Amino acid sequence: MSPADLADAIVAAVGRAVADGDLDVPVPTTVTVERPKNPEHGDYASPVALQLAKAARRPPRAVAELLAARLTAAEGIARVDIAGPGFLNITLVGAALGEVARRVVRAGASYGHAEKPRDVRINLEFVSANPTGPVTLASARWAAVGDALVRILTAAGYSVGGEYYVNDAGVQISRFGASVLAAAAGREIPAEGYHGAYVAEIATTVLAERPDLLELPGDEALAVAAQRGLTLMLGEIRSTLESFGVHFDTWASEKALHDAGGLERAVEDLRAQGHVFDADGAVWLRTTDFGDDKDRVLIKSDGQGTYFCADAAYYRDKRGRGFDRVIYLLGADHHGYIGRLRAISACFGDDPDVNLEVIIGQMVTLTRGGEPVKMSKRAGTFLTLHDLVDAVGVDAARYSLVRQSHDSSLELNLDLIARQTSENPVFYVQYAHARISSLLRGAEALGLTLSPEGADVALLTHPREGDLLRALGEFPRVIESAASLRGPHRVARYLEELAGVYHRFYDVCRVLPQGDEPAGPLTDARLLLAAATQLVLSNGLALLGVSAPDRM
């Protein structure tokens, strides 16, 4: 019996009490079930009686007594005690708790995932860095967090499209082209241009492709340098992210949006909604009606669309593609975007609380030997994703970038996360998986076969076995929590807890027979428990885009 099963049993008990006329309350759709801090208080606890007491117009303990009587008769529940003001402390029969291990192994890679799809389509845009330089360390964090969120939301039953918005229109592209052209000609790069060894590398490639580049007329040379440089830089960004395990369903082009008339159609729709006005030769959107700090210009007096107009058109485009909820994962310097994006959503007639979400992430810094790592050899002025991966590898980088909540700044100690010891969280979790793999190989060498259906899970009565079973039972709720709170770090912290619970189990509960000792039913049950733990560790690491090695 999992926590979700127990929650269903409690809801059913409330429903029976209402049907019998003993309680006059709305029957909840779900209730809180948690593991008590003291295992002597039972396997699980619920404050449902305290939550229903006011509506029932009864003391919480009286409500608890009504529910306890009905729960005790439910299958799989051995005892229900009432504690304090009315908490229900619930102890399961051994077989009911042990069934968690069997359920995990039966479900395999799908364990923890939502059983039914949700009728909600989510567009999650992340990274979306300007295609004028390598993927920075800050963008690396959004890459890891965003990709993990796509995986977690998908596991929670949502239909999710991960998206990268390519800012390939605007003045930054001209400046990038000018930088590439200057490097190709051996001239000093303009002060407002882009610097670093990568610009010279791109210039060399462009010049090899177009030996006539420097002989072209100025505007044509600039256009060639900008377009080829953009293509090469974007190709490198895509390759870098793919090698980091980050995949996007859509690479959306700002230039394509412009060329297709998306900005004009957005203005037409907004005008039809009654929120557009003309002043000082420009076209404005009255966003102050929806909480923005000032009205925004859509079309400047010279007839050119603004960045804000492109933002509005892009939001309209996403919604037009059938996404119910549009999520933006933005950097720490984008707090000002929250109000204006919410205003855009409202001006299009949407409900920003339903159709829009803006997640702001904080910065990340690297240290080595107690000192900050300040500069990339290739980028010149900023650290890149390549720098991090070269230092610690993809797994350690991804895990470390998602392990802490994205709304707090992150300092990564390169010495620690490269270390192959239990002090390194990703090693600690991966080692638990590898340790179980070794155990299962040992069982196979002894001629023992994992038997999910034949194992007697009622034999799993040791306190450390109970701890491990309860931890495994929490995994579906961890996924649901990580999805609803947009917190991949919750999966990482759960995996670390699970690894610790497994190590403590293994230290005191011998799984394989030694010497001439024959294997028995308890061996089969413990093998099943170990295999279930391995599956959950693997499933959880997959949600973070981290490998689950069989050997370390």
Side-chain angles (χ1 to χ4, degrees):
M1 176 176 279
S2 68
D5 295 330
L6 185 54
D8 290 343
I10 294 172
V11 169
V14 174
R16 288 195 299 274
V18 170
D20 294 342
D22 293 331
L23 278 179
D24 182 15
V25 297
V27 179
T29 56
T30 187
V31 297
T32 300
V33 173
E34 53 200 11
R35 286 186 286 173
K37 293 181 180 180
N38 186 345
E40 294 180 0
H41 293 165
D43 294 311
Y44 295 101
S46 176
V48 61
L50 285 76
Q51 296 164 354
L52 296 176
K54 184 175 180 180
R57 298 179 297 280
R58 294 190 181 193
R61 284 190 69 92
V63 177
E65 288 169 1
L66 287 171
L67 298 180
R70 288 168 171 82
L71 280 172
T72 303
E75 184 178 356
I77 295 177
R79 191 176 75 252
V80 179
D81 299 313
I82 301 171
F87 287 97
L88 295 176
N89 288 340
I90 303 166
T91 302
L92 304 181
V93 299
L97 187 58
E99 283 295 332
V100 170
R102 200 184 330 266
R103 175 179 295 186
V104 172
V105 174
R106 282 173 178 165
S110 67
Y111 177 69
H113 293 209
E115 296 181 359
K116 297 180 181 179
R118 303 174 193 250
D119 190 23
V120 178
R121 293 192 66 209
I122 293 176
N123 177 284
L124 177 56
E125 182 204 334
F126 57 105
V127 184
S128 296
N130 282 341
T132 54
V135 180
T136 67
L137 186 59
S139 293
R141 188 179 193 185
W142 318 147
V145 170
D147 186 66
L149 272 178
V150 170
R151 296 167 187 251
I152 290 167
L153 288 166
T154 300
Y158 295 96
S159 174
V160 187
E163 186 152 320
Y164 190 114
Y165 184 45
V166 182
N167 300 108
D168 52 0
V171 68
Q172 77 276 5
I173 301 303
S174 296
R175 289 175 177 170
F176 182 57
S179 303
V180 172
L181 190 59
R187 300 193 305 267
E188 185 177 350
I189 291 176
E192 71 277 9
Y194 294 88
H195 303 260
Y198 76 93
V199 177
E201 293 168 10
I202 289 174
T204 299
T205 303
V206 173
L207 199 55
E209 294 176 351
R210 292 293 304 266
D212 62 336
L213 176 67
L214 302 179
E215 302 169 6
L216 297 173
D219 288 347
E220 185 178 350
L222 180 61
V224 170
Q227 186 54 50
R228 286 304 303 147
L230 174 66
T231 299
L232 290 167
M233 194 69 254
L234 188 57
E236 179 177 328
I237 290 171
R238 294 181 72 148
S239 176
T240 297
L241 291 170
E242 287 284 335
S243 66
F244 196 52
V246 177
H247 311 284
F248 291 94
D249 299 293
T250 303
W251 291 75
S253 164
E254 180 185 356
K255 184 177 184 299
L257 191 63
H258 282 262
D259 293 345
L263 275 66
E264 291 81 359
R265 286 193 295 273
V267 173
E268 291 172 6
D269 286 356
L270 291 168
R271 192 180 288 278
Q273 291 282 347
H275 304 301
V276 171
F277 66 96
D278 302 299
D280 302 323
V283 179
W284 297 69
L285 186 64
R286 192 175 287 104
T287 55
T288 51
D289 287 350
F290 299 98
D292 199 5
D293 59 346
K294 62 181 179 180
D295 293 329
R296 305 281 174 175
V297 176
L298 291 168
I299 307 295
K300 295 181 291 186
S301 58
D302 62 2
Q304 296 297 309
T306 61
Y307 285 120
F308 177 75
C309 188
D311 289 340
Y314 185 39
Y315 174 83
R316 175 185 177 276
D317 177 72
K318 290 178 179 180
R319 292 282 286 125
R321 283 184 270 141
F323 290 104
D324 304 298
R325 191 168 185 85
V326 174
I327 302 178
Y328 297 80
L329 177 54
L330 303 177
D333 56 344
H334 285 72
H335 274 283
Y337 276 70
I338 298 175
R340 70 188 70 170
L341 286 172
R342 287 182 61 84
I344 286 172
S345 174
C347 285
F348 276 117
D350 287 345
D351 182 346
D353 291 330
V354 173
N355 303 115
L356 174 74
E357 185 175 343
V358 182
I359 300 173
I360 300 294
Q362 297 301 316
M363 298 299 293
V364 55
T365 57
L366 300 183
T367 62
R368 176 184 280 131
E371 297 294 328
V373 181
K374 296 181 179 180
M375 190 174 295
S376 168
K377 292 180 180 178
R378 181 166 180 259
T381 57
F382 52 85
L383 292 168
T384 69
L385 173 57
H386 270 307
D387 296 324
L388 179 59
V389 171
D390 286 347
V392 301
V394 171
D395 281 348
R398 285 193 63 132
Y399 191 94
S400 300
L401 288 168
V402 303
R403 185 176 178 264
Q404 187 166 307
S405 177
H406 58 262
D407 60 6
S408 60
S409 58
L410 175 63
E411 180 181 298
L412 295 184
N413 181 338
L414 294 180
D415 296 323
L416 174 61
I417 62 179
R419 199 174 296 159
Q420 298 287 295
T421 69
S422 60
E423 295 176 303
N424 178 0
V426 66
F427 177 84
Y428 186 66
V429 174
Q430 288 181 317
Y431 174 67
H433 184 275
R435 191 179 195 186
I436 299 172
S437 298
S438 176
L439 173 73
L440 296 178
R441 287 194 298 271
E444 185 178 359
L446 292 174
L448 302 177
T449 303
L450 183 67
S451 177
E453 303 307 322
D456 185 359
V457 295
L459 298 175
L460 299 174
T461 58
H462 191 282
R464 297 292 79 78
E465 294 167 339
D467 291 342
L468 189 51
L469 287 163
R470 283 185 288 272
L472 296 175
E474 288 292 319
F475 187 50
R477 298 202 302 183
V478 170
I479 293 178
E480 177 62 28
S481 173
S484 62
L485 298 175
R486 315 299 194 234
H489 66 285
R490 294 173 177 271
V491 174
R493 296 307 175 94
Y494 164 81
L495 291 174
E496 292 165 35
E497 178 188 353
L498 177 62
V501 174
Y502 176 78
H503 291 315
R504 290 190 290 275
F505 152 79
Y506 187 82
D507 289 344
V508 298
C509 296
R510 184 154 48 85
V511 179
L512 299 181
Q514 294 182 343
D516 296 330
E517 180 184 3
L522 183 58
T523 301
D524 294 337
R526 286 179 172 172
L527 275 176
L528 180 67
L529 180 55
T533 306
Q534 183 195 43
L535 271 166
V536 172
L537 288 168
S538 176
N539 292 356
L541 286 168
L543 292 177
L544 304 181
V546 176
S547 70
D550 292 332
R551 290 178 170 84
M552 293 188 73

